[in-house]
């Protein structure tokens, strides 16, 4: 009934039972890691519920048109964005509200628009489905303004919320929704998925995505490898292997690049730290399989305490990145700070 | 698709779509108008997903088909062309070529596949005189709430019965109600729906062009309202939610009433209002022996008072009101005489047109504490 979904059978079956028995929970919260398929599942669920949904996947945030639109909107002034709140609705009874702006947040204007749209009945059939993608990106005001709609949606409206971690949300939001947790896909499921999509360098993609099909599809491996080389150099220097000159050229080019964001690098940094931790504690299932030798060598010279500190510092950088700090300097400070700590 | 059309016809029909097409850019297809050419007419459709307009114009269709073009751009351009025949041709790559005399323009269109589908027209429920409906709208639309959070008040309640229609709008500080007796014939059960403000504005536009006795075919399904006038069709999604039980707000009786000249009262109000607080617009109305006093004061700027001579022999009564609310009513009233009904300083006041109108028009205003 809900077609073309990979993995997470239990969740899919729960939703299918709802559709079959016509006993809907009108507010659903899908949580799980980035790229595991929360929004995709929401669209497939809507496709099972609504008529004529052939083009519903055009609302995928990862699609090229939509990505371009988001990048374009980043250049707008915040007033212009508030005047023209972002939503996608290729199917008139399926509306997606994605995070917007350079900080990728859900705005109060978007939530107001949602409430306004919620007052109109479906075009065809008994249902309308609204997807609030990354509800964890809504600030407290925006989230609070939704409470009444979440609690008492109009009889035809199904609201699907997605969040990486349900416990990042206000308890008032969580308690109003039926929670469904999506987990990482097994290797076999990932292989099936990669094959169905016909992706290149499949083995590397599967390892890097670590059970998240969305990640496997969207990963630009060349960009990823470029960032990884830089971040590996950063970790080497930060762990005291070689002098700062090994990092300087990367720092310069990252600082000079206007189009790249710090977040992209920090995500890679987290992945490397995760692998280092796995290797340091004697595990073997790492993401960056092609770098195993280098990572193993590095893991032998660092301590658990060092990794813990590095993760803490990366968390700090993620917070600061939202206040648009200087990329190069921030990473330099990371290296210097960790060398001292080391 | 290729067709030739008279400029005036195209501009007239495109104008109707302008109020509906989306001005925002998030969903580009909604800024486009869908053009379908078939037989000896073209059909133009525009929608913002909540409201849709479909109208048609005679044309010489050389090759049938369909396509979409940005509505505003098309209208802005066509307006500037000299009067006469315009030729529009769609290529397979969605580009439209517009030729008129020695002007030639190409506009990038979009595929019609992504244009939203509009619901199908159900059976006609009633034939409503369009001017009557427009009159009812213009007498209530100003009382609709501007507060975004109160969605059920962002439209007017429309009740269609076999023997007449009722329209009610309120923002919870005031309420406007119009009831018009009109034989609507074969309606089996009364029909109630919340009509969004945007749809009301579009009906006013449709009515402006219509013949005095033109009839609007009215129909509705579970979620939509349909208004057909000749070749033009307006579709609006209904607002959902519970409209307040307005019958309970309507005062059953008033102790006192004074009758006044509309223009005299309006003039006095507009002058006195200059010295009322800009946000609350609060003024004091006092009824005393054969006079009706309007008074406002702003501690820093000054105060203003006007007295109208009226026929009144009740006890002195003082009530505070938002003057703007009364002015709104006076602007929407065609009768030269208006009657103000009231009880005391704590009760709602009511304005009605004077004389024997063919319809009932009641306007309830909540008092203010001053």
């Amino acid at each position: 009934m809900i077609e073309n979904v990979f993995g997470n059978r239990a969740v899919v079956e729960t939703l299918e039972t709802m559709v079959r028995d016509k006993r809907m929970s009108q507010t659903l919260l899908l949580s799980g890691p980035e790229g595991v398929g929360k929004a995709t599942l929401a669209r497939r669920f809507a496709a099972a519920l609504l008529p004529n949904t052939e083009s519903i996947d055009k609302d995928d945030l990862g699609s090229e048109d939509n990505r371009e639109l988001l990048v374009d909107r980043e250049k707008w002034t915040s007033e212009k964005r508030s005047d023209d709140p972002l939503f996608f609705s290729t199917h008139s009874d399926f509306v997606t509200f994605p995070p917007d702006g350079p900080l990728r947040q859900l705005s109060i204007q978007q939530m107001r628009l949602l409430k306004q749209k919620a007052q109109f009945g479906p075009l065809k059939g008994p249902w309308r489905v609204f997807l609030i993608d990354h509800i964890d990106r809504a600030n407290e005001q925006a989230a609070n303004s939704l409470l009444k709609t979440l609690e008492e949606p109009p009889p035809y409206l199904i609201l699907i919320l997605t969040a990486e971690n349900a416990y990042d949300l206000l308890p008032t939001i969580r308690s109003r929704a039926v929670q469904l947790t999506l987990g990482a896909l097994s290797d076999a499921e990932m292989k099936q998925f990669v094959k169905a999509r016909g992706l290149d360098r499949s083995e590397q993609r599967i390892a890097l995505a670590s059970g998240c099909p969305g990640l496997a599809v969207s990963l630009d491996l060349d960009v990823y490898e470029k960032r990884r080389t830089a971040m590996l150099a950063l970790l080497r220097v930060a762990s005291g292997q070689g002098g700062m000159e090994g990092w300087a050229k990367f720092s310069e080019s990252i600082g000079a690049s206007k189009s790249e964001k710090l977040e992209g690098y920090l995500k890679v940094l987290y992945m490397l730290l995760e692998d280092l931790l796995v290797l340091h504690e004697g595990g073997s299932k790492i993401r960056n399989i092609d770098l195993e030798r280098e990572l193993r060598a590095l893991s032998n010279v660092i301590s658990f305490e060092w990794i813990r500190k590095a993760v803490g510092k990366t968390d700090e950088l993620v917070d600061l990145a939202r206040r648009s700090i200087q990329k190069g300097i921030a990473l330099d400070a990371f290296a210097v700070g960790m060398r001292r700590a080391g | 698709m290729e067709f030739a059309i008279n400029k005036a016809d195209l501009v007239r029909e495109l104008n109707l779509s302008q109020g509906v097409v989306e001005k925002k850019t998030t969903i580009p297809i909604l800024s486009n108008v869908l053009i379908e050419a078939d037989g000896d007419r073209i059909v133009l459709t525009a929608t913002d997903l909540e409201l849709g307009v479909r109208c048609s114009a005679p044309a010489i269709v050389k090759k049938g088909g369909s396509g979409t073009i940005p509505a505003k751009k098309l209208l802005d351009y066509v307006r500037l062309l000299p009067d006469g025949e315009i030729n529009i041709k769609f290529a397979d790559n969605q580009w439209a070529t517009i030729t008129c005399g020695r002007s030639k323009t190409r506009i990038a269109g979009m595929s019609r596949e992504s244009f939203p589908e509009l619901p199908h027209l159900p059976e006609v429920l009633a034939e409503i005189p369009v001017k009557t409906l427009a009159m009812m709208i213009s007498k209530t639309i100003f009382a609709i709430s501007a507060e975004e959070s109160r969605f059920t008040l962002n439209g007017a309640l429309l009740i269609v019965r076999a023997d007449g229609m009722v329209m009610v709008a309120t923002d919870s500080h005031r309420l406007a109600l119009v009831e018009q007796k009109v034989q609507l014939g074969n309606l089996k059960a009364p029909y109630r729906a919340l009509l969004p403000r945007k749809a009301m504005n579009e009906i006013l536009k449709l009515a402006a062009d219509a013949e005095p006795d033109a009839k609007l075919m009215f129909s509705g399904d579970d979620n939509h309202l349909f208004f057909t006038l000749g070749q033009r069709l307006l579709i609006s999604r209904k607002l959902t939610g519970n409209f307040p039980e307005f019958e309970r707000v309507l005062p059953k009786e008033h102790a006192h009433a004074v009758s006044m000249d509309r223009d005299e009262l309006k003039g006095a109000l507009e002058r006195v209002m200059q010295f009322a607080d800009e946000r609350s617009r609060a003024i004091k109305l006092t009824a005393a022996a054969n006079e009706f006093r309007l008074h406002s004061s702003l501690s820093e700027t000054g105060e203003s008072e006007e007295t109208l001579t009226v026929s009144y022999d009740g006890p002195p009564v003082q009530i505070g009101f938002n003057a703007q609310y009364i002015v709104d009513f006076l602007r929407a009233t065609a009768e030269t005489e208006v009657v103000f009904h009231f009880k005391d300083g704590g009760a709602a006041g009511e304005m009605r047109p004077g004389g024997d109108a063919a319809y009932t028009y009641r306007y309830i205003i909540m008092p203010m504490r001053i």
Side-chain angles (χ1 to χ4, degrees), chain B residues 46-211:
Chain B
T47 177
D48 68 353
L49 297 179
E50 260 111 57
L51 201 61
V53 158
R54 177 173 287 160
C55 43
S56 88
I60 303 159
V61 178
K62 296 170 186 162
K63 187 163 173 258
S66 59
T68 79
I69 334 185
K72 189 163 183 309
K73 196 92 208 145
L74 179 64
L75 177 62
D76 287 351
Y77 174 72
V78 171
R79 256 202 203 121
L80 299 173
L81 288 173
D83 288 336
E85 201 181 70
I86 300 172
N87 195 75
I88 301 183
K89 183 180 178 185
F90 275 78
D92 290 337
N93 60 4
Q94 314 298 344
W95 281 76
T97 309
I98 303 170
T99 341
C100 174
R102 301 186 65 176
S103 324
K104 188 173 174 188
T105 298
R106 294 200 324 132
I107 302 186
M110 287 171 84
S111 142
R112 79 148 294 171
E113 270 71 60
S114 37
F115 199 84
E117 192 189 352
L118 292 185
H120 294 291
L121 188 65
E123 193 188 343
V124 172
L125 290 173
E127 290 182 21
I128 301 173
V130 64
K131 294 287 181 189
T132 306
L133 186 62
M135 177 275 288
M136 295 174 76
I137 290 174
S138 57
K139 283 186 172 8
T140 48
I141 192 166
F142 57 86
I144 293 175
S145 174
E147 271 177 71
E148 285 181 5
S149 54
R150 313 196 60 175
F151 296 108
T152 54
L153 303 183
N154 287 167
L157 175 68
L158 173 68
I159 306 173
V160 183
R161 292 194 284 250
D163 63 344
M165 295 184 290
V166 182
M167 188 171 276
V168 192
T170 179
D171 63 3
S172 79
H173 302 295
R174 53 167 161 183
L175 178 147
L177 174 146
V178 184
E179 188 169 358
Q180 169 85 46
K181 295 272 175 244
V182 47
Q183 282 307 317
L184 296 174
N186 51 2
L187 201 69
K188 286 171 202 89
Y191 190 90
R192 277 173 79 104
L194 278 178
L195 190 57
R197 186 208 316 254
K198 205 171 164 188
M200 295 166 79
N201 277 321
E202 293 307 314
I203 295 174
L204 287 179
K205 275 194 211 161
L206 282 181
D209 281 1
E211 301 290 324

Side-chain angles (χ1 to χ4, degrees), chain A residues 52 69 73 76 83-89 92-93 112 115-117 119-124 128 156, chain B residues 22 24-27 48-50 114 116-120 148 151-152 196 223-224 237-241:
Chain A
N52 316 42
L69 178 74
R73 287 178 67 98
W76 293 13
D83 283 348
D84 190 353
L86 179 65
F87 70 101
F88 298 133
S89 181
S92 54
D93 288 331
R112 284 197 189 125
K115 286 192 279 179
Q116 201 178 335
K117 289 195 170 290
Q119 292 302 312
F120 293 97
L123 184 71
K124 237 189 200 177
R128 298 192 87 187
Y156 45 79
Chain B
E22 189 65 75
K24 299 177 176 165
T25 52
T26 329
I27 304 180
D48 68 353
L49 297 179
E50 260 111 57
S114 37
E117 192 189 352
L118 292 185
H120 294 291
E148 285 181 5
F151 296 108
T152 54
N223 296 307
H224 298 87
R237 284 205 203 203
K238 284 185 206 170
L239 277 173
T240 56

Side-chain angles (χ1 to χ4, degrees), chain B residues 323-341:
Chain B
Q324 185 62 49
Y325 289 178
I326 308 178
V327 172
D328 286 344
F329 167 82
L330 297 174
R331 286 196 181 134
T333 306
E335 288 75 6
T336 53
E337 196 194 345
V338 292
V339 187
F340 177 54
H341 301 264

Side-chain angles (χ1 to χ4, degrees), chain B residues 140-319:
Chain B
T140 48
I141 192 166
F142 57 86
I144 293 175
S145 174
E147 271 177 71
E148 285 181 5
S149 54
R150 313 196 60 175
F151 296 108
T152 54
L153 303 183
N154 287 167
L157 175 68
L158 173 68
I159 306 173
V160 183
R161 292 194 284 250
D163 63 344
M165 295 184 290
V166 182
M167 188 171 276
V168 192
T170 179
D171 63 3
S172 79
H173 302 295
R174 53 167 161 183
L175 178 147
L177 174 146
V178 184
E179 188 169 358
Q180 169 85 46
K181 295 272 175 244
V182 47
Q183 282 307 317
L184 296 174
N186 51 2
L187 201 69
K188 286 171 202 89
Y191 190 90
R192 277 173 79 104
L194 278 178
L195 190 57
R197 186 208 316 254
K198 205 171 164 188
M200 295 166 79
N201 277 321
E202 293 307 314
I203 295 174
L204 287 179
K205 275 194 211 161
L206 282 181
D209 281 1
E211 301 290 324
D213 53 355
K215 295 271 171 89
L216 198 61
M217 306 295 150
F218 170 71
S219 47
D221 64 15
D222 290 347
N223 296 307
H224 298 87
L225 298 170
F226 302 79
F227 302 89
T228 317
L229 183 69
Q231 297 284 345
R232 293 165 176 178
L233 165 68
L234 177 75
I235 304 171
S236 169
R237 284 205 203 203
K238 284 185 206 170
L239 277 173
T240 56
N242 295 323
F243 196 76
E245 286 180 48
F246 67 93
E247 291 91 346
R248 285 174 40 187
V249 181
L250 297 175
K252 299 246 173 355
E253 53 181 15
H254 298 280
H256 315 291
V258 290
S259 175
M260 283 172 277
D261 181 76
R262 183 197 62 193
D263 292 335
E264 201 184 337
L265 176 61
K266 196 166 106 197
L269 273 169
E270 281 167 346
R271 286 187 293 272
V272 170
M273 217 163 87
Q274 297 300 317
F275 292 89
D277 177 62
E278 269 188 36
R279 270 178 59 95
S280 72
R281 294 275 181 211
I283 62 162
K284 255 187 270 183
L285 301 183
T286 314
N290 289 331
E291 64 173 32
F292 191 73
R293 211 162 46 238
L294 294 74
H295 177 263
S296 70
S297 73
L298 265 180
S299 48
E300 316 92 71
T301 357
E303 58 179 346
S304 174
E305 186 177 285
E306 300 240 358
T307 308
L308 308 180
T309 309
V310 295
S311 133
Y312 176 71
D313 55 4
V317 173
Q318 193 175 65
I319 321 178

